[in-house]
Amino acid sequence: MPADERTHRHVPPEGSHRHPQVDPLAALRTPQDPPWDVYLTGTVFLDVIFTGLDSAPVRGTESWARGMGSSPGGIANMATALARLGLRTSLAAAFGDDHYGDYCWDALAQGEGIDLSPSRTVPGWHSPVTVSMAYEGERTMVSHGHEPPPEEPSPDCPPRARAAVASLTPGVRAPWIAQAAARGTRVFADVGWDDTGAWDLAGLPDLAHCEAFLPNAEEAMRYTGATCPRAAAHALTEHVPLAVVTLGADGAYAVDRRTGESAEVPAIEVEALDPTGAGDVFVAGFVTGTLAGWPLADRLAFAGLTAALSVQEFGGSLAAPGWCEIATWWRKVQSVESQDPTALRRYAFLADLVPDAQPGSWPLRRAVPTIGFRRPTP
């Protein structure tokens, strides 16, 4: 990347990152480790989220929302969720050469401690924007953007990392996935809706390089032809070692072909303010638990918990919970006298992770109605 494309943006030096309250990989770290725990690449959007709508907007009318938030979106949702859980995260993305791009860059690099050294600013390219409207537990989105100019791949990208998260596109091969896997990086993949209608696993060639595949129930059943999500998860393990199928309000189900282990964890019931980015937070929680070596059921429980906490805040990326929110939730549920003992035991593994996570030690940014307020003159 030409140096003059970054003159107005600070890139944290390699190995630098914010220090959250908990490092889930502390016991596993050695001097020989890769510099990054997780590598990501994708498109960063500016998300503008409207909440508190009584219903979907009606043609020819004006709707007023009771709440609004702005935050980095797209791949930023996943990167922020990983960083807030204590993983050293590196992101390769194109950023617009505009105020929106400046805001997203600073929010990720300075606010979250995410490494953006593989990222670039594209002169004259405006940031992609998504407007999301949340109502009745669902959301409707309108997006606008243009593809950035192509760039020659850097010889040191993807960088060495413990893991990478990839979004597979039917019929499209991403060479970086095979490159990362060949270096020993553990690749976790999700997938979007197949607009072609083929639903053919052969159309996901990069799945062969992945350790885990995390589709939702509908996607899993369409790809496998199974009549239930659990059967679909087992069928997927013929193609990838670890299959995790999210079941919406019913939680998640996972099968590990290498160990023969399976696990199912119900969802946590919460009042959802904004579901934007909840799926990304789920994946981030599962990646965290996997890298930390937790049992499969604990990984599912943790992923579901982080996703549930995220939907109670505005915005996608900036709704992701940190360890202080997780600790607060754990202390709160233990204080409920009528709490189900079985449910408490499901999350008992948190006791060894969050005892010292005190609120305020790493303040989290939240989505705000607008960006770019002028700072008061001293």
Side-chain angles (χ1 to χ4, degrees):
M1 180 190 310
D4 61 356
E5 290 187 9
R6 285 197 192 151
T7 54
H8 67 298
R9 287 176 177 163
H10 170 67
V11 178
E14 184 170 313
S16 70
H17 58 284
R18 278 185 176 271
H19 297 278
Q21 301 96 332
V22 174
D23 179 359
L25 307 186
L28 304 176
R29 298 198 185 280
T30 71
Q32 292 75 40
D33 285 344
W36 308 111
D37 296 327
V38 186
Y39 167 76
L40 301 144
T41 185
T43 303
V44 173
F45 286 74
L46 174 73
D47 279 357
V48 180
I49 304 101
F50 293 100
T51 64
L53 290 164
D54 294 323
S55 63
V58 178
R59 181 178 178 179
T61 67
E62 181 179 15
S63 299
W64 280 82
R66 291 186 291 275
M68 173 186 168
S70 302
S71 65
I75 192 63
N77 295 340
M78 182 82 69
T80 301
L82 290 162
R84 289 186 172 188
L85 292 177
L87 298 187
R88 301 171 183 177
T89 303
S90 183
L91 171 63
F95 286 78
D97 187 25
D98 53 17
H99 289 305
Y100 290 170
D102 288 343
Y103 163 72
C104 289
W105 184 288
D106 291 341
L108 298 176
Q110 304 299 326
E112 306 299 334
I114 295 167
D115 167 55
L116 296 181
S117 58
S119 294
R120 61 186 175 128
T121 298
V122 180
W125 181 64
H126 73 77
S127 299
V129 176
T130 292
V131 175
S132 176
M133 291 161 281
Y135 54 89
E136 299 175 353
E138 298 293 339
R139 58 177 176 156
T140 298
M141 297 183 292
V142 178
S143 297
H144 173 72
H146 302 282
E147 287 291 327
E151 176 190 41
E152 288 298 320
S154 171
D156 59 351
C157 193
R160 290 178 58 243
R162 295 175 188 263
V165 180
S167 184
L168 306 183
T169 302
V172 177
R173 187 185 295 273
W176 75 265
I177 295 176
Q179 295 167 11
R183 295 182 182 182
T185 297
R186 305 164 70 179
V187 182
F188 297 74
D190 61 13
V191 68
W193 190 258
D194 188 353
D195 291 327
T196 70
W199 297 103
D200 183 3
L201 286 170
L204 302 178
D206 289 324
L207 191 60
H209 305 294
C210 298
E211 171 169 328
F213 186 40
L214 299 93
N216 63 35
E218 184 67 20
E219 293 160 349
M221 290 189 292
R222 285 179 178 266
Y223 271 116
T224 61
T227 56
C228 79
R230 293 158 188 80
H234 285 274
L236 286 172
T237 59
E238 297 177 8
H239 304 271
V240 67
L242 178 58
V244 181
V245 177
T246 54
L247 309 174
D250 293 328
Y253 182 80
V255 183
D256 190 329
R257 182 186 69 204
R258 293 163 300 188
T259 65
E261 183 182 12
S262 63
E264 183 169 0
V265 174
I268 296 174
E269 293 185 11
V270 296
E271 184 175 350
L273 175 65
D274 176 18
T276 304
D280 296 319
V281 176
F282 180 94
V283 174
F286 189 81
V287 170
T288 300
T290 301
L291 294 184
W294 300 348
L296 187 58
D298 290 353
R299 287 180 260 167
L300 284 184
F302 185 74
L305 169 61
T306 54
L309 293 177
S310 75
V311 302
Q312 298 178 90
E313 297 284 348
F314 284 108
S317 62
L318 301 187
W323 285 101
C324 63
E325 285 84 5
I326 295 168
T328 299
W329 177 86
W330 176 236
R331 288 191 290 266
K332 182 177 179 180
V333 297
Q334 292 181 90
S335 68
V336 178
E337 294 183 0
S338 59
Q339 188 62 261
D340 180 4
T342 302
L344 280 180
R345 286 195 295 271
R346 183 177 295 117
Y347 295 92
F349 66 94
L350 292 174
D352 294 329
L353 289 169
V354 300
D356 298 322
Q358 298 298 323
S361 56
W362 189 28
L364 299 181
R365 291 188 180 188
R366 295 301 185 193
V368 294
T370 190
I371 58 178
F373 273 127
R374 296 183 181 275
R375 295 181 179 180
T377 304

